[in-house]
Amino acid sequence: MKAVSLQCNYRVNPLGIDDMTPRLSWICQGGKKQIAYQITVSGEDGDLLWTSGKVETDRMHGAYDGPKLKSAQRVHWAVRLWDENGQIEDSESAWFEMGLLESSDWTAKWIAGVDTDRKERLSADCFQKRFALRGEVKRARLYATACGVYSAVLNGVRLPGVLAPGCTEYDKRLYYQVYDLTALLKAENELTFTVADGWFKGKLGSTNEEYVFGTQLKFLAQLVIEYADGSRETVGTDESWRWSNDGPVLYADLMDGEVFDARKAPSFSQNAALTSYPVCPTASPADGILEQEVFSPELRITPSGARILDFKQNLAGYVRFHVRGEAGQQIRLRLGEALDHGEFSDLTLQMDLPGLPVKRQEIVYTCAGGEEVFRPDFFYSGFRYALVEGLDTVDPADFEAVAVYSALRFTGSFACSNQKLTQFARNTLWSLKGNFVDIPTDCPQREKSGWTGDAQIFAKTACYFADPAAFYRKWLRDVRDCQEPSGRVPNVCPRIRSAEGKRDMLNGAIGWADAAVILPYTLWKLYGDEQFIRENLELMLGWRDYMIQAAADKSFYHLPDGMPVKNQIAPYLLGDSPYAKYIIESGLHWGEWCEPGVDGVEELLRPKAEITTAYMHYSMELLDEMLRSVDLPEEAALCREYAEGAKKAYNYHFVRDGKIQAPRQAPMVRALALGLLDTETAGRVAADLNRSAVERQYTVGTGFLSTPFVLGVLTQYGYLDTAYRMLENTVAPGWLAMVEQGATTVWENYLAYDENGHPLKQSMNHYSPGAVCAFLFDTVCGIEVKKENRFTIRPLPGGSLRWAEASYDSPYGTVCSRWERTADGTAFHIEIPSNTEAELTLPDGTQRILSCGSYSYLLKPIPDQKQ
């Protein structure tokens, strides 16, 4: 048995980390059972730094516990395994390298442009440093960050990565990137950086607010060169670096796009200005944003004669192109997700809110003359189509769309006999890619914002399709950085406004900001890693305390007469209650966003005690379980009190005679999924939910919060046929209605075009409704992680499907499940990875405990019984 897929903090050979006790993990290949492991860590010279010794366990991870590691230190590590027969085998070697661990390690100085600290959108800053080497180089590391986003070029070679240093709560945290430049250095060198506005200074969120984090772009870089003779040299940013902002990037914005004049080149005519920034950069826990898949287009000539490139896939990224133009010739590419009767449309980019500036999402390129190649460095967008203007002839071979998203390892695949359902799973994966751009965003075109509600409902599905542990660790830091002293968690992290104003009441929306608890819980359960609990303890306990404070706030009962809102909310207040302390009635909450047939704005204004009480129970129950796991019983006891109190409050106020009072699917699903009902009442509510689904002709009647649960609770209470009918329904509102309309990603809503075929003003790349894809893995094919090294496999064939298959490369190895209906019965094939077990339950009730290996079963059909 051999340890493979070695990871340090869920990353492969990470360059630049600041964790002094990193988690070292692997999966087992060959053999059946790991009975012991030994981790060995050594320095670059091969000297032993630390060994775990022989640890008798089947756990496939440990933590470094050796001498304190130093800044920039690279170490190598390997794992020795003992299998069930006592056989020993060593893994290949992996490595990790420490970053700059102390603020004193930064000898470089912050620099900026001259006279650039103003509320004005300026051309990009360009910085240059020329330097010579003084000997043979052993190792060279560049550490770089910016207040803004940067691109770097050394000796004509562009360094990898996109939109570095990424999106953070800049006044709390700033990440740096580490580059290995050893092979790129020459005797004489030129290092240049271009810095543009990005998330720091540019437009953010739905309101396009600018200057949220600052008005001046700043830059910090430090190149550390180790020579073969043992000496060191540091080339750091300071006032000797040259600067100008007269280069080709005239304007760059994450929303609007990029304006580029290829006739221009930076003059570097002045020295950079020294500046400062109060945040010491730290190493990111996740890998950065990269260029990914590339798509070639098809040229369409519209009825009006316009030239449109169709890349056949809605994606997040940009267009890269090759042109042959005259000097001064201007080419414009406008990017969009939809066509309107064959013509270009950017309606899905726009918002209906009055007074907002229009987003442009375009590239404006001025030619230098001759053969030219261009890609934008400081902009990405959500698009499928590009309207090309300014060229006499458009050759589609000169253009390609480049997908841009965070570095991820993709782990899950699903396919079945219903091609529309297979396509929907593919669409969901593409919406994941388009919205995992350093943070989990809601959409890549009109907002690009880290909405908590979207993130928490999609987390389980994301973990089937990909391995986002490091990605989510990074974003949870952003959430912690955004948390207010009261414990309230904003709805969007990092923030997108300098001051919330009237929108502040929406922060801390229940069911959305509960991501502070739900996401760590989901990751803990799937990865078996208590560090997800420990890292987020302060965040989760703060959110708990905020919920308790919010429940104690009964100010809605004491609004002064004459306030228009008083009459609006009065019918929804509960009045005197023996359980008042467990019910949140204050504040505004997004609730079931995009619930079919419900006016979202009108719904937003009313109190939502049913939702807040349900999530008071749910979050407190999850937190109680986590706190007990890390041995904090006193903290857990308070959570237990509120979990049980909220459950009693829910049944007291919202359940009558075994029925949920609100006659909508969402409260029924919520009460069942979040464990709010006793067994008898749950059976009645499930029957009502099933009846509602049938009456709606199997269309979806739930909004953002409850849609991920609806198929699961129907199945749990014996309505598998209804669940499949809802899943396979092709009429809106229904998931496959999107596929029927030609979707290649998941939409914010189930229809993207009105009855006349015009595109609607909504996002066509919103992964939230795709959260239902967890059902394809955990129910259709029946794969679930039960606990560390253990799965449950419970496939449930149904609907029109003749066959279905799923593969999940879990933290414990790859597990596969396939079933197919044949003339002889239903055939099942299961594959279980080494060092794991699975509890298999077949549809006839047969149960088996499976160790690693491949298994096949045939369930013969039950003959019809004559009455």
Side-chain angles (χ1 to χ4, degrees):
M1 174 177 284
K2 185 176 183 179
V4 297
S5 300
L6 275 61
Q7 290 189 331
C8 171
N9 285 350
Y10 303 104
R11 301 164 67 189
V12 177
N13 297 336
L15 182 61
I17 67 171
D18 58 11
D19 188 345
M20 302 303 290
T21 58
R23 183 182 196 266
L24 306 175
S25 62
W26 59 91
I27 61 173
C28 296
Q29 186 178 81
K32 288 187 174 295
K33 186 76 172 176
Q34 170 192 305
I35 62 169
Y37 74 77
Q38 179 179 10
I39 300 172
T40 302
V41 179
S42 57
E44 284 193 276
D45 56 5
D47 290 347
L48 179 67
L49 289 178
W50 173 77
T51 176
S52 66
K54 184 178 180 181
V55 181
E56 295 185 354
T57 179
D58 64 351
R59 293 192 120 183
M60 292 181 278
H61 60 86
Y64 174 77
D65 191 27
K68 184 177 179 181
L69 298 168
K70 301 175 183 178
S71 292
Q73 182 178 4
R74 174 173 288 201
V75 300
H76 298 264
W77 64 284
V79 182
R80 172 173 291 178
L81 297 184
W82 286 259
D83 70 9
E84 72 280 3
N85 297 315
Q87 296 296 310
I88 302 172
E89 189 167 1
D90 293 333
S91 73
E92 304 298 326
S93 178
W95 56 265
F96 60 89
E97 185 171 305
M98 306 307 291
L100 301 182
L101 304 178
E102 307 292 340
S103 58
S104 58
D105 292 328
W106 286 97
T107 59
K109 300 174 183 178
W110 281 98
I111 59 175
V114 177
D115 188 29
T116 55
D117 189 4
R118 42 199 165 107
K119 279 196 171 184
E120 184 179 347
R121 302 297 297 279
L122 305 170
S123 299
D125 287 325
C126 303
F127 299 95
Q128 180 199 65
K129 182 67 175 179
R130 290 176 174 161
F131 60 96
L133 298 179
R134 63 184 191 212
E136 181 185 351
V137 175
K138 176 185 176 183
R139 184 167 74 168
R141 297 289 184 269
L142 172 67
Y143 306 87
T145 190
C147 294
V149 291
Y150 71 84
S151 65
V153 176
L154 174 62
N155 299 328
V157 177
R158 190 186 188 281
L159 302 187
V162 177
L163 300 173
C167 178
T168 61
E169 190 73 2
Y170 285 93
D171 52 8
K172 297 283 185 66
R173 196 178 303 273
L174 190 62
Y175 291 123
Y176 61 84
Q177 285 68 50
V178 187
Y179 304 90
D180 183 351
L181 301 189
T182 309
L184 294 178
L185 290 175
K186 302 177 180 180
E188 300 289 333
N189 298 276
E190 180 181 270
L191 180 60
T192 62
F193 288 85
T194 305
V195 184
D197 296 351
W199 292 275
F200 185 80
K201 188 177 177 179
K203 294 179 179 177
L204 296 180
S206 60
T207 57
N208 297 331
E209 185 175 338
E210 300 168 299
Y211 318 112
V212 169
F213 294 100
T215 56
Q216 184 178 41
L217 301 179
K218 304 181 182 190
F219 178 62
L220 181 71
Q222 183 165 304
L223 172 59
V224 180
I225 305 169
E226 297 180 30
Y227 290 101
D229 63 5
S231 64
R232 292 164 63 96
E233 180 182 9
T234 299
V235 179
T237 47
D238 59 20
E239 63 271 37
S240 70
W241 283 56
R242 304 296 287 173
W243 166 86
S244 67
N245 63 351
D246 54 2
V249 182
L250 306 185
Y251 177 83
D253 188 87
L254 290 173
M255 297 294 185
D256 289 343
E258 196 163 316
V259 179
F260 190 96
D261 189 340
R263 297 170 299 177
K264 293 179 173 288
S267 63
F268 300 113
S269 56
Q270 300 183 65
N271 283 6
L274 288 180
T275 186
S276 62
Y277 197 67
V279 178
C280 182
T282 53
S284 174
D287 295 319
I289 308 166
L290 300 174
E291 290 188 332
Q292 308 278 2
E293 296 93 338
V294 175
F295 295 87
S296 298
E298 170 187 286
L299 178 64
R300 294 187 176 203
I301 307 298
T302 75
S304 68
R307 278 82 57 85
I308 292 177
L309 301 171
D310 179 359
F311 294 97
K312 300 299 183 70
Q313 174 64 55
N314 199 23
L315 59 104
Y318 42 68
V319 177
R320 186 165 58 201
F321 56 86
H322 171 257
V323 293
R324 295 162 292 276
E326 301 293 328
Q329 181 179 349
Q330 191 174 86
I331 300 165
R332 184 184 302 264
L333 272 69
R334 295 174 58 196
L335 308 179
E337 296 181 293
L339 299 181
D340 189 346
H341 292 82
E343 298 289 351
F344 179 83
S345 170
D346 64 357
L347 277 175
T348 65
L349 177 65
Q350 308 307 327
M351 297 282 287
D352 276 323
L353 299 176
L356 292 184
V358 174
K359 299 177 180 71
R360 296 196 296 271
Q361 197 166 270
E362 64 183 13
I363 298 167
V364 180
Y365 182 85
T366 302
C367 298
E371 301 279 336
E372 302 170 52
V373 177
F374 175 74
R375 67 154 185 210
D377 279 331
F378 308 108
F379 158 68
Y380 83 99
S381 60
F383 69 100
R384 171 176 170 171
Y385 303 99
L387 172 66
V388 184
E389 299 172 315
L391 285 175
D392 294 332
T393 10
V394 175
D395 184 350
D398 291 335
F399 297 83
E400 53 190 12
V402 182
V404 165
Y405 52 87
S406 288
L408 292 169
R409 182 176 68 92
F410 295 103
T411 56
S413 63
F414 172 85
C416 67
S417 58
N418 184 333
Q419 292 304 306
K420 292 184 177 66
L421 188 54
T422 300
Q423 181 65 42
F424 183 76
R426 181 182 185 276
N427 292 358
T428 300
L429 176 58
W430 268 103
S431 279
L432 181 158
K433 292 177 178 180
N435 285 289
F436 274 45
V437 182
D438 203 53
I439 61 173
T441 63
D442 56 334
C443 54
Q445 64 315 88
R446 71 182 190 211
E447 291 190 50
K448 301 181 172 74
S449 301
W451 282 90
T452 52
D454 301 58
Q456 69 92 352
I457 63 176
F458 192 71
K460 184 178 180 182
T461 299
C463 290
Y464 275 120
F465 279 119
D467 177 9
F471 175 88
Y472 278 138
R473 280 190 75 209
K474 184 269 177 191
W475 185 65
L476 281 167
R477 283 190 185 180
D478 296 328
V479 178
R480 298 198 298 269
D481 290 342
C482 290
Q483 187 173 33
E484 300 169 10
S486 67
R488 184 170 70 161
V489 174
N491 297 329
V492 177
C493 303
R495 61 192 162 100
I496 53 175
R497 297 180 186 90
S498 53
E500 291 288 349
K502 293 180 180 179
R503 290 174 174 262
D504 189 57
M505 280 191 72
L506 280 165
N507 278 323
I510 303 301
W512 296 69
D514 289 272
V517 171
I518 296 170
L519 188 53
Y521 181 87
T522 301
L523 295 168
W524 170 51
K525 285 296 187 181
L526 289 173
Y527 286 90
D529 184 358
E530 286 186 349
Q531 194 64 19
F532 287 114
I533 302 175
R534 299 184 188 279
E535 284 183 340
N536 296 289
L537 267 177
E538 186 176 344
L539 169 68
M540 296 190 291
L541 292 175
W543 177 243
R544 177 200 66 182
D545 294 345
Y546 174 76
M547 293 181 80
I548 292 172
Q549 294 163 12
D553 175 12
K554 302 301 179 184
S555 57
F556 271 18
Y557 287 92
H558 307 293
L559 294 174
D561 292 337
M563 283 190 68
V565 72
K566 184 171 184 178
N567 293 332
Q568 286 180 282
I569 68 175
Y572 301 102
L573 298 176
L574 299 178
D576 292 337
S577 167
Y579 303 105
K581 69 180 289 188
Y582 305 113
I583 304 169
I584 298 173
E585 296 182 83
S586 60
L588 297 180
H589 307 280
W590 290 103
E592 292 288 349
W593 189 247
C594 287
E595 185 176 357
V598 175
D599 185 313
V601 176
E602 182 180 314
E603 180 78 0
L604 187 62
L605 297 176
R606 72 170 184 83
K608 299 179 179 64
E610 182 269 327
I611 293 176
T612 64
T613 307
Y615 275 90
M616 174 72 82
H617 165 75
Y618 186 51
S619 282
M620 291 293 187
E621 188 162 72
L622 300 187
L623 188 49
D624 170 50
E625 184 181 349
M626 286 189 280
L627 292 172
R628 292 183 189 279
S629 174
V630 296
D631 197 26
L632 292 171
E634 291 183 4
E635 298 284 9
L638 181 58
C639 297
R640 173 50 45 197
E641 176 199 339
Y642 272 82
E644 293 175 352
K647 183 174 183 177
K648 292 175 182 176
Y650 192 92
N651 282 272
Y652 181 84
H653 286 286
F654 308 113
V655 182
R656 291 284 185 280
D657 302 321
K659 292 182 179 293
I660 301 294
Q661 291 302 288
R664 283 149 62 172
Q665 283 188 6
M668 299 183 216
V669 171
R670 184 163 29 253
L672 293 166
L674 306 190
L676 287 154
L677 307 174
D678 61 56
T679 302
E680 183 179 350
T681 303
R684 293 175 183 171
V685 172
D688 288 342
L689 174 63
N690 180 66
R691 191 176 303 111
S692 171
V694 174
E695 289 171 354
R696 289 180 59 90
Q697 297 182 307
Y698 307 102
T699 58
V700 178
T702 47
F704 266 33
L705 291 180
S706 51
T707 294
F709 299 116
V710 61
L711 300 185
V713 296
L714 283 168
T715 302
Q716 179 184 349
Y717 288 95
Y719 302 105
L720 180 65
D721 180 65
T722 300
Y724 266 102
R725 285 173 179 260
M726 186 179 286
L727 176 65
E728 294 191 86
N729 168 45
T730 58
V731 177
W735 298 283
L736 300 194
M738 305 180 203
V739 179
E740 282 282 300
Q741 297 168 80
T744 61
T745 44
V746 179
W747 300 339
E748 182 179 16
N749 227 316
Y750 300 96
L751 287 173
Y753 301 89
D754 65 19
E755 62 275 10
N756 297 315
H758 300 295
L760 301 170
K761 288 186 179 181
Q762 63 162 39
S763 165
M764 294 179 75
N765 198 344
H766 235 82
Y767 59 53
S768 302
V772 73
C773 282
F775 182 83
L776 305 180
F777 288 90
D778 66 28
T779 303
V780 174
C781 292
I783 300 172
E784 279 202 275
V785 173
K786 183 177 182 181
K787 59 182 180 180
E788 195 168 350
N789 296 7
R790 199 166 181 98
F791 305 96
T792 58
I793 309 292
R794 188 173 179 261
L796 291 175
S800 73
L801 304 190
R802 300 186 308 278
W803 60 270
E805 61 185 14
S807 173
Y808 172 40
D809 189 3
S810 79
Y812 316 110
T814 304
V815 57
C816 303
S817 174
R818 175 186 168 87
W819 56 263
E820 182 175 8
R821 289 168 168 158
T822 69
D824 297 324
T826 305
F828 297 86
H829 182 74
I830 312 295
E831 296 180 15
I832 308 300
S834 295
N835 196 40
T836 68
E837 288 185 345
E839 299 175 12
L840 172 67
T841 302
L842 295 176
D844 67 349
T846 299
Q847 292 186 321
R848 291 180 173 85
I849 301 296
L850 307 180
S851 59
C852 68
S854 298
Y855 303 87
S856 295
Y857 303 94
L858 179 67
L859 289 188
K860 294 187 177 181
I862 300 173
D864 291 336
Q865 300 291 322
K866 293 185 178 181
Q867 300 295 324

